[in-house]
Amino acid sequence: MATVTKKTTETPRETLTPDEKMERRFAAWLATPGIQFVSPEAEAEYKARITRIIDAIQLKKTPDRVPVLPRFQLDGFPAAYCGYTPKDMWYDVDKAIDAATRCTLELQFDVKIGASAPQGRVYEILEDKQRKWPGHGVADDGGMQFIEGEYMKADEYDAFILDESDFRLRTYLPRTWGAAEPLKQLVVGNVRSFGLPEVQAALRKLMEAGDETRRWEGKIAAANKKLTELGFPSFGGPAALGGAPFDQLGDNLRGQRGIVMDMFRQPQKLLEALDILTRKRLLRIRQSSANVSPGSSPIVGFALHKGADGFMSDEQFRTFYWPSLRQICLALIEEGFVPQLRAQGGYNSRLEAIRDLPPGKVIWCFSDMDMERAKEVLGDIACLQGNVPLALINTGTPEQTADYCRRLIDTAGKDGGFILDTSGSIDNRGKVENVRAMIRCAKEDGVYS
């Protein structure tokens, strides 16, 4: 089991060090308050799985074996595995729960697949303009497509910086949700604008979307609790606390083209906006950390979309991307959380820069990466996660998959600090026999002597 220092619950949280806060979160995760396991064996398996992950993260000791966490989107591999379409996962919560439950129980990896599927009906009510999804804009068996655009114009930085909340309510939401378009007519402090029929109709639609979301989430919470009772922990914690400020601005507001142009044409405005977003996120982390449910996973995972090798130079990465992201990571660590940074694209030229974090407090999840070199540079700082190629899972053989996994275990997994994963989410083309080969390899060849 992981070495977790016990601290009395009476000790005020604000007096704890970051290490003590993390140990307290790990201890609560292991203790699973409020959970009645179906059997002593299920409880033992649950704690063994969590301990394995904690040992990999902390770098203090080698786990009993390499943890294995293949990455899935529910409308990809799990849907196909259970004979459903991606559209089923977007519109039928009961089928989504069935796919998550069956995949978790039948494949037996180290965490559960949560049934946190997207909700097509909610996006329909909102008249969402940023996405096409199965059954709405793409085929029933297709994948979701994000429609990136300049939802904040190049000359709107001042409005965004002056009052982000007002900008999002009266400018951004009307551009991204058709149902919210009448909110452009709201006047802050003028209650009369709430009496406009079109504004009231918009608010009713937003309330309807909220009710639908709560209905879906209620069923999912009950299903996920059952999987915990059967011995499968959740891996991800409060994801809303994480995120790279540059991505927050680039993904949803300026778009890739817009934010790249801003680095050259108005770098100071960009840096000012990044500072505003960072300071607000730091405040949210501090204010929200005490309210995270006891026993939930302390791992805050989030994707990094725009910091990859080909997206910007190393100088730009160190100027615009890494400083604000590092502040977010340090704030999460200060509150006892573990940032799990899912680097999309190559990060081979970023390794020296991203060493600048405390050891044993972070997970770097890589897709397109030389994992042997990553181990050499980051092995004493971070737990590494990755990176069996999706092409191999989709088109290879079980023998080829197992061989690749063994090489990863021998290099990136040397002496611990490694989680076996895929290079991205396995979609409906993934071969079941290759997924099973990956899981089997971790359990048979990933045992530390």
Side-chain angles (χ1 to χ4, degrees), residues 130-253:
Q130 287 185 306
R131 296 166 183 83
K132 296 179 181 179
W133 59 91
H136 190 102
V138 298
D140 292 358
D141 60 352
M144 192 273 285
Q145 298 175 9
F146 185 78
I147 305 168
E148 194 174 84
E150 292 190 23
Y151 300 106
M152 183 181 94
K153 308 302 181 185
D155 60 355
E156 291 177 333
Y157 269 98
D158 286 340
F160 178 81
I161 291 168
L162 182 64
D163 192 337
E164 181 194 350
S165 296
D166 178 72
F167 180 86
R168 287 188 180 275
L169 178 64
R170 297 194 304 117
T171 303
Y172 172 72
L173 288 183
R175 288 174 180 170
T176 57
W177 293 345
E181 189 169 350
L183 299 185
K184 292 187 295 186
Q185 302 179 60
L186 285 175
V187 178
V188 177
N190 184 352
V191 71
R192 179 181 178 278
S193 59
F194 286 96
L196 296 173
E198 55 270 36
V199 169
Q200 292 183 343
L203 294 176
R204 283 192 290 271
K205 282 191 175 182
L206 297 180
M207 292 167 62
E208 183 185 356
D211 288 341
E212 179 68 15
T213 299
R214 289 173 62 85
R215 181 190 71 82
W216 188 290
E217 289 179 347
K219 286 194 170 186
I220 285 174
N224 287 342
K225 185 171 182 281
K226 288 182 180 179
L227 285 175
T228 301
E229 293 167 350
L230 289 165
F232 294 91
S234 296
F235 185 67
L241 297 182
F246 189 95
D247 290 340
Q248 185 181 350
L249 191 62
D251 290 350
N252 300 312
L253 291 163

Side-chain angles (χ1 to χ4, degrees), residues 7-57:
K7 196 83 174 180
T8 62
T9 55
E10 292 75 23
T11 304
R13 181 181 150 277
E14 58 271 16
T15 67
L16 299 175
T17 67
D19 282 349
E20 289 170 334
K21 290 177 185 176
M22 185 173 289
E23 288 169 352
R24 176 178 283 187
R25 292 193 191 279
F26 281 151
W29 194 22
L30 277 165
T32 61
I35 295 296
Q36 298 293 323
F37 290 97
V38 297
S39 67
E41 292 77 16
E43 181 176 9
E45 278 295 312
Y46 176 92
K47 293 185 175 180
R49 289 176 172 123
I50 287 183
T51 297
R52 190 172 296 131
I53 294 168
I54 292 174
D55 287 342
I57 293 169

Side-chain angles (χ1 to χ4, degrees), residues 249-326:
L249 191 62
D251 290 350
N252 300 312
L253 291 163
R254 291 292 292 127
Q256 175 65 22
R257 179 184 180 277
I259 203 165
V260 167
M261 298 299 291
D262 294 341
M263 286 193 290
F264 293 96
R265 291 181 174 177
Q266 45 182 345
Q268 291 307 313
K269 289 289 186 186
L270 173 56
L271 289 171
E272 189 176 353
L274 290 172
D275 181 63
I276 292 289
L277 290 173
T278 302
R279 287 192 282 120
K280 288 185 176 181
R281 182 60 57 88
L282 297 179
L283 180 61
R284 183 194 301 177
I285 291 169
R286 289 192 295 269
Q287 291 178 336
S288 303
S289 62
N291 300 321
V292 174
S293 300
S296 64
S297 168
I299 298 169
V300 178
F302 50 96
L304 306 180
H305 293 145
K306 300 188 183 299
D309 293 335
F311 279 65
M312 61 180 71
S313 69
D314 191 57
E315 180 182 355
Q316 289 170 329
F317 179 83
R318 293 171 184 266
T319 301
F320 296 103
Y321 199 92
W322 178 241
S324 54
L325 173 57
R326 181 176 179 272

Side-chain angles (χ1 to χ4, degrees), residues 10 28 34 75 77 84 100 149 227 240 272 319 324 387 390 392 403:
E10 292 75 23
D75 61 351
F77 179 87
Y84 297 130
L227 285 175
E272 189 176 353
T319 301
S324 54
N387 70 344
L390 292 180
L392 181 59
D403 286 343

